[in-house]
Amino acid sequence: MSPSRFEPVRLEHASRLINHGPTVLVTSAHGGRRNLMAAAWSMPVEFTPPRIAVVIDKSTFTRELVSASGAFGLCLPGLALADLTYSVGQRSGRDGDKFERYGIEAVTGPVLGMPLVERGCAAWLECRLIPERHTEDAYDTCFAEVVAAAADPRIFANGHWLFDEDNADLQTIHHLGAGLFVRSAGAVQAQAL
């Protein structure tokens, strides 16, 4: 495995990793099994401590592993992983290890030991589930505290995104439906009026 290019993200900046609504890969592991799935709906819900929400359908293998372990990872795939992101969202992990099936290298999360994806991703967050049975059962929405975060400094450094022509393959993607994605690009710095 190649050495990591990722650098730690201060937890006070962790919400910035997903506040623009990118598609994420949700990683999970428990009892010697692991999985990853694509999710289009995630968002920050609190800054300190950093907390997030993500929709994980109760019928998925990922949800089963997350419920059993009390933890998961959120990895932010770049444009180069659009095909992979779509593909892992189309198959169940109950049919076999998607990491092996698609040749995905995983690193081990520093706090909870979750499998995390760096190659082709802009960033990751390692998360501890905050049990909220009502929202999980009624709305498939899982809440979690971010316990560690890291990003590729070519696209996220000093608490800020750096979208430019040189990092297009790492720019986060947004699912529009039916396998159609757009990438984050064309950032504009606003000025106070």
Side-chain angles (χ1 to χ4, degrees):
M1 174 152 196
S2 57
S4 175
R5 295 183 77 138
F6 279 44
E7 294 180 359
V9 171
R10 291 174 28 193
L11 290 180
E12 66 194 56
H13 295 147
S15 64
R16 294 179 183 175
L17 293 172
I18 62 169
N19 71 351
H20 63 296
T23 296
V24 296
L25 297 173
V26 181
T27 63
S28 55
H30 182 72
R33 297 191 71 193
R34 62 186 180 169
N35 195 39
L36 79 162
M37 62 167 266
W41 297 338
S42 67
M43 65 180 195
V45 293
E46 192 162 336
F47 297 113
T48 307
R51 294 185 180 142
I52 59 96
V54 61
V55 174
I56 307 172
D57 189 279
K58 68 181 66 56
S59 68
T60 64
F61 185 52
T62 293
R63 177 77 170 273
E64 181 180 318
L65 294 175
V66 168
S67 295
S69 70
F72 59 91
L74 288 187
C75 304
L76 284 69
L79 179 62
L81 294 186
D83 291 342
L84 177 76
T85 301
Y86 181 68
S87 296
V88 301
Q90 299 300 303
R91 291 188 159 273
S92 172
R94 286 189 179 91
D95 301 332
D97 187 320
K98 288 191 247 181
F99 288 89
E100 289 179 13
R101 173 185 294 272
Y102 295 106
I104 302 166
E105 291 181 16
V107 300
T108 302
V111 177
L112 304 172
M114 286 293 102
L116 301 167
V117 180
E118 290 188 348
R119 183 175 293 177
C121 285
W124 55 254
L125 300 93
E126 193 174 27
C127 305
R128 180 178 290 119
L129 183 68
I130 301 169
E132 291 287 343
R133 296 310 258 167
H134 174 70
T135 58
E136 291 171 22
D137 292 342
Y139 308 109
D140 290 325
T141 302
C142 298
F143 291 92
E145 180 177 346
V146 178
V147 297
D152 189 317
R154 294 175 294 172
I155 193 156
F156 188 90
N158 301 315
H160 298 284
W161 285 103
L162 311 165
F163 295 115
D164 62 38
E165 293 176 21
D166 295 333
N167 61 22
D169 280 353
L170 288 174
Q171 291 175 15
T172 57
I173 55 177
H174 305 262
H175 191 232
L176 302 178
L180 183 63
F181 291 89
V182 295
R183 69 181 164 100
S184 299
V188 176
Q189 178 64 56
Q191 302 297 318
L193 299 177

